[in-house]
Amino acid sequence: MNIDFAPLKKYLGEQLDLKSGELEIKQFKGGFSNLTFLAQSGNQSFVIRRPPFGEKISKAHDMGREFAVLQALSKAGYQKAPRAVLFCEDESIFGAPFFVMEHVSGLILRNQSPELKNFEPKDFLHLSQASIEAMLELHSLELEDSGLLALGKPEGYVSRQVEGWSKRYFKAKTNEIPEMEEAISWLDQNQPTQSQVGFIHNDFKYDNIVLKENPPYEVKAILDWEMATVGDPLMDLGTTLAYWAQREDTDILKMFNLTHLPGNLTRAEVVDYYSQRSSLDLNSLVFYYVFGLIKVGVIAQQIYKRYSQGHASDPRFAGLSHVVKAAGKQAISSIITQKI
């Protein structure tokens, strides 16, 4: 899709005191949801976020809310989120509401990252541990005085999530996948009686982490706060575990994370690492893992439907129906074995 950047360049030039004629904008590749662009002028650089083209699926594409999350995290003293710079609701500028944030330079690991050739098992072990520690730090943020509590409604969070993702699946359904529907039914009937409260990212995985470019690859920043809120931290952990593919998993589930490569913690080791550093009760973690798998499946199903309707042309999206099936099967296997 050809994008007309001229109105955006003019707007950014005026708002950020940049020379619009020297402004270069290019899209970052690799994401499956909201679109991300790099804007550069001289030695200044910013990142722009806007919703995907075509159908607006959910409030996950609410740019104003993601901008507000970044502002609140900064106010709370959280150091691992980019600084919010500018929010624009005028759709005539870039075709949709968008926001501008600080550009945090560094390494983002994806399947085709050339830096992978430099990664040894000890580096992945460090990255595994550092990422879980970054998640724990987020989950322990103070909520009331910081104002973060206003960004979510923790009471009834788990039940709303189960109901919400169930409805999203059936709205986006294109094929019969019995495992997805069986797992959704199981989630509805097996919700924990108690839940905890914390600030959660909701899409915490390697390709949303900016690392320092040299060993020991420390975490510089966490990206993509579109689904962040206040809720049960174990919902966050469950989603991360769903993305945390390991060596013996089906190949299709390895496309979203590099945790299957040698040196990474296994899912069981992630749970152990988290539990040793958290006071939360993890006895119902199979529920949260199954929820994470269903969430991954629903996200893939939503994108696949947009692709099948012609709203998205990225060739990667054609295979996402296989992700939905694999996530459903993995969920049923976990329910049967009661293992993660």
Side-chain angles (χ1 to χ4, degrees):
M1 176 179 293
N2 293 324
I3 304 173
D4 181 11
F5 289 122
L8 178 62
K9 288 182 177 181
K10 182 176 183 295
Y11 177 82
L12 294 179
E14 294 171 350
Q15 296 295 319
L16 301 177
D17 194 25
L18 302 173
K19 294 181 179 179
S20 58
E22 299 178 2
L23 191 58
E24 295 185 3
I25 301 175
K26 62 180 180 180
Q27 184 176 353
F28 286 105
K29 303 297 183 182
F32 284 84
S33 185
N34 289 331
L35 306 180
T36 308
F37 302 81
L38 177 65
Q40 291 180 298
S41 177
N43 61 356
Q44 292 183 283
S45 60
F46 301 91
V47 169
I48 304 163
R49 295 267 287 167
R50 62 146 288 163
F53 296 98
E55 179 185 358
K56 294 181 181 178
I57 300 172
S58 72
K59 66 181 180 182
H61 305 304
D62 183 345
M63 296 293 99
R65 186 182 183 282
E66 187 173 353
F67 185 78
V69 166
L70 293 179
Q71 289 182 310
L73 287 169
S74 177
K75 184 178 179 181
Y78 185 68
Q79 300 295 314
K80 292 186 174 68
R83 178 177 58 87
V85 175
L86 177 68
F87 172 64
C88 178
E89 289 185 286
D90 186 350
E91 298 189 12
S92 69
I93 304 298
F94 199 23
F98 66 92
F99 72 87
V100 180
M101 65 182 181
E102 171 192 16
H103 175 224
V104 181
S105 63
L107 170 62
I108 300 177
L109 278 187
R110 296 190 173 97
N111 281 316
Q112 303 301 321
S113 296
E115 293 88 354
L116 278 175
K117 66 179 184 296
N118 300 323
F119 265 69
E120 300 179 5
K122 64 179 177 62
D123 297 315
F124 275 117
L125 174 60
H126 173 78
L127 175 56
S128 295
Q129 296 170 337
S131 64
I132 300 306
E133 287 166 6
M135 173 184 280
L136 284 159
E137 179 186 1
L138 185 66
H139 291 174
S140 64
L141 285 176
E142 192 280 329
L143 299 177
E144 294 189 8
D145 293 341
S146 66
L148 289 173
L149 190 60
L151 292 172
K153 298 178 181 178
E155 186 175 351
Y157 178 77
V158 172
S159 61
R160 289 199 309 275
Q161 289 296 298
V162 171
E163 179 182 5
W165 286 99
S166 172
K167 288 180 177 178
R168 292 182 192 105
Y169 176 72
F170 288 107
K171 182 179 179 181
K173 180 178 175 181
T174 53
N175 304 96
E176 293 294 332
I177 304 177
E179 292 88 351
M180 284 290 291
E181 298 189 22
E182 290 172 18
I184 286 172
S185 178
W186 182 87
L187 286 172
D188 184 55
Q189 298 169 22
N190 289 272
Q191 297 180 37
T193 56
Q194 295 182 327
S195 62
Q196 308 296 319
V197 177
F199 195 80
I200 58 181
H201 182 274
N202 265 330
D203 196 23
F204 202 100
K205 57 187 191 296
Y206 284 177
D207 65 357
N208 283 334
I209 298 175
V210 181
L211 303 171
K212 292 184 179 179
E213 296 178 338
N214 298 303
Y217 303 110
E218 298 293 343
V219 175
K220 289 183 68 176
I222 309 299
L223 305 178
D224 290 8
W225 295 89
E226 59 206 65
M227 291 190 283
T229 190
V230 178
D232 190 334
L234 296 186
M235 297 289 264
D236 209 9
L237 179 59
T239 299
T240 293
L241 289 168
Y243 281 119
W244 202 281
Q246 50 195 38
R247 182 179 54 82
E248 64 271 22
D249 290 342
T250 182
D251 286 346
I252 195 70
L253 292 178
K254 296 175 181 176
M255 65 185 292
F256 300 108
N257 219 347
L258 295 169
T259 50
H260 58 280
L261 296 177
N264 283 283
L265 299 176
T266 64
R267 284 191 293 271
E269 289 170 337
V270 168
V271 172
D272 184 59
Y273 196 87
Y274 186 99
S275 67
Q276 289 181 18
R277 292 158 179 80
S278 170
S279 60
L280 299 182
D281 182 355
L282 305 188
N283 286 329
S284 299
L285 200 54
V286 166
F287 169 87
Y288 295 99
Y289 175 55
V290 170
F291 168 80
L293 287 165
I294 294 307
K295 181 176 168 182
V296 169
V298 174
I299 292 170
Q301 181 62 45
Q302 289 177 315
I303 299 172
Y304 177 73
K305 183 177 182 181
R306 281 200 297 120
Y307 175 84
S308 66
Q309 293 177 333
H311 294 304
S313 59
D314 192 320
R316 297 174 302 156
F317 298 169
L320 289 180
S321 61
H322 300 296
V323 173
V324 186
K325 294 176 184 177
K329 289 181 178 180
Q330 187 92 338
I332 293 300
S333 175
S334 183
I335 292 169
I336 293 172
T337 62
Q338 287 294 292
K339 293 182 178 180
I340 294 170

